[in-house]
Amino acid sequence: VRGFKVESEGKLDKLVEEGTEQYRYVFVDESHRFRNAETEQYKLLHQICVGKKVILISATPRNNYNSDIANQLYLFQSKNKSTIVNARNLELFFDNIRKRMNAYEKNSDEYREALKEVSEEIRDKVLREVMIRRTRTEIQKTYAEDLKKQKLSFPKVSDPKKLIYQFSENVDKVFEETIRAITELNYSRYKPLVYVKESKLEPSQRSLLVGQANMGGFMKGILVKRLESSKYAFEMTLNRFIESYKQFIDMYYQKGVVWISRKYNVYELLNNEDFEKLEQARINEDAIKFDAEDFDKSFIKDLESDLTILERLKTIWNEISVDDKLEYFIKELNTENNLKSSKLIIFTESSETAIYLKENIEKRLNENVILFSGSMPDSIRDLIRANFDPNYKKGRQQNDYRILVTTDVLAEGINLHRSNVIINYDLPWNPTRIMQRVGRINRVGTEHNEIHVYNFFPTSKSNEQMSLEENIITKMQMFHDILGEDSKFLTEDEEVSTHELFRRMTTIENNEEDEVNSELSYLKLIRDIRDKDKDLFEKIKNYPKKIKLGRKKDDLKGLITFFRKGYLKKFYISNNGETEEITFEQAIEYVKANKSEQAKKVKSDYYELLKLNKNAFETSENEENSNVVTSVNKKGTSNAKNIIKVLKECLKLDSIFTDIEIERINKTINLLENGELPVRIVKEGNKEMKKINSISISDISKFFKEFEKMIPKVYFEQETKVENNKQKLSKKEREIILSEYVF
């Protein structure tokens, strides 16, 4: 392929500056990294993708939420005017699903049942139209010959093994007391706005209250997760909490003010007396300043109460000399057959746990352990590849390390399949991280016949507080239900749904249970004809449109017709005065024939049946156009609606705007109504709009000019192309590609 450029996600701004109009296609590897539409990186990528053919590549497109899939779709589909026939208004489609799920209590039986239903809906109405999904079962069946010729094979992934450890009696008591204390904490340090007197809050600050209130639950989750990760990680986290509380209380008493900022270390700036930088941060809305008396009296009481609880926890954990989880793990490493001699990859979410494990395994097992965590130099990564990557430079592979301990920084983008064992020392919030971790060793070209996965699950006491186990299993099951999978990753109880999913998504439903017969088999057939029977391939290629033929078939009667108009493609079958639409999968089953079969002449009722099929397609086309209107009627998100309202006021003031500006205002409204702009731009527009004090002519005019500057010109250029394409599409004639008369 000529004229391509490869760039890392950290250089998207550079691509935008250079201009991407020279490229026609955008391929995004690991596209799940762009599942959050509110990030700056997503905004840049969205701009790059405008007007291009976009191909997203990911083994884990859904992580925690259905919005993960939606946001990736918006990189190549309009939110409110998509080309997906069963979900023209994608935003409304996913919004309705979210509302349905919110009606159930999380992890209840009803919730899990509803999850299964919405998973099927997302898969059948949306993903089957835009996604190509391949399982290893499909590849092994369809390309068995090629795999054998190239000496390639897939390892078997054994059922995951659960690692369960017990606490000693005194640790059990400390653990119980810790869990109780974690639930008693107010987490006041992390939600200060909740304590500010209402009269002292500005409107923009009130909108932050819900997020601040939720911070308590988030910080509770961090403490529980660190407690589950390792004794060492929990103690380090406690120390950080204690230090942060002390600094905050000191700021309250000694400085008489409270600064709040997610961007800056306000304590450091205060200690350095860098008041100018603090004030500038406040002006830029990167920091908020309150006087101590602006807070309710309960604030300082809760701060001091929390600090007392945290210091008590530190004291009781200092008295514990044994880490029961570590002791159990060391024993397993010494006794479990798969762990004694194999190369091992040990994953943890906590960099402190990673350091702790390295030090203890080296000391207790007398083994060299390589550690990778955070921003380590490339030389360490190179050393890891030399010891764990079978594709590393020939003759330069090493065997100095049997055990690698790492955080999720190595969960993507590296081959480690000289190992065949993954150990999850703790489980991540995001269940697809598990799949990514296992993916490091579950690779074509491994010399191992079997892959082993070991999982430490949360203790029952932690699970009572956070439902960690249920959450991760439910999320993993939803991934299986939407996208399908060959293997289990967490427990033996997972339901992997490869056959069910791909029969629905790409196959005929009446196949036998053990068959995986997707469109891959038809694709392979076409390629075989192209490569082995060139005369037949040319003959088929040169057939005219509207081709009609008859054939004798005992199990089917009627006329099958394939229509196309633009991207709308449909198959219909008519017989005995009845017409129904059929899927591509059904149609291909009906029309496939042996090479030796001879065509028959069509019968006299052919044109009558063709008319029925035409009428059905025209009705469908009219419904499609009606759906487009309905989609557009939603008029964008609530954020977009606010801006649209102001822009429509601009149109009433045509005397102060030029014709070109009026045209730009109309294009901007279209972009917002169709959901073409990334949410980051819309939010920035709303922020600008809040500066308007009154709906005066000068304010409205100023707002439009400021908002227009926020929208890269590529969106306006694309809006013009879309309008031109719409006109061309409306002029396109309906095409009959082929008809088959069966009697």
Side-chain angles (χ1 to χ4, degrees), residues 136 411 414-416 422 434-443 489:
R136 295 185 173 197
I414 190 168
N415 295 322
L416 303 172
I422 290 285
I434 300 283
M435 300 170 72
Q436 289 164 346
R437 291 173 179 184
V438 175
R440 298 313 94 220
I441 62 172
N442 186 13
R443 308 191 79 73
F489 294 91

Side-chain angles (χ1 to χ4, degrees), residues 688-705:
E688 184 64 32
M689 195 174 65
K690 284 173 185 172
K691 295 176 184 176
I692 296 177
N693 296 319
S694 61
I695 305 294
S696 66
I697 293 174
S698 59
D699 278 349
I700 290 174
S701 174
K702 183 182 175 187
F703 165 70
F704 169 66
K705 282 166 183 173

Side-chain angles (χ1 to χ4, degrees), residues 174-188 191 216-217 219-221 223-224 227 234 238 241 305-306 309-310 313 460-467:
V174 168
F175 200 90
E176 277 194 29
E177 186 175 341
T178 303
I179 290 292
R180 191 163 53 249
I182 286 172
T183 60
E184 289 171 358
L185 283 166
N186 298 295
Y187 301 95
S188 49
K191 50 179 186 180
M219 300 312 288
K220 174 185 173 182
L223 279 178
V224 173
L227 182 60
F234 181 66
L238 269 183
F241 270 50
S305 169
D306 283 353
I309 293 171
L310 291 167
L313 286 179
S460 59
K461 292 180 180 65
S462 296
N463 204 52
E464 284 170 14
Q465 292 304 314
M466 301 298 295
S467 300

Side-chain angles (χ1 to χ4, degrees), residues 6-17:
V6 178
E7 198 59 88
S8 71
E9 63 174 307
K11 299 285 182 66
L12 295 181
D13 52 346
K14 180 184 159 194
L15 272 177
V16 170
E17 284 170 20

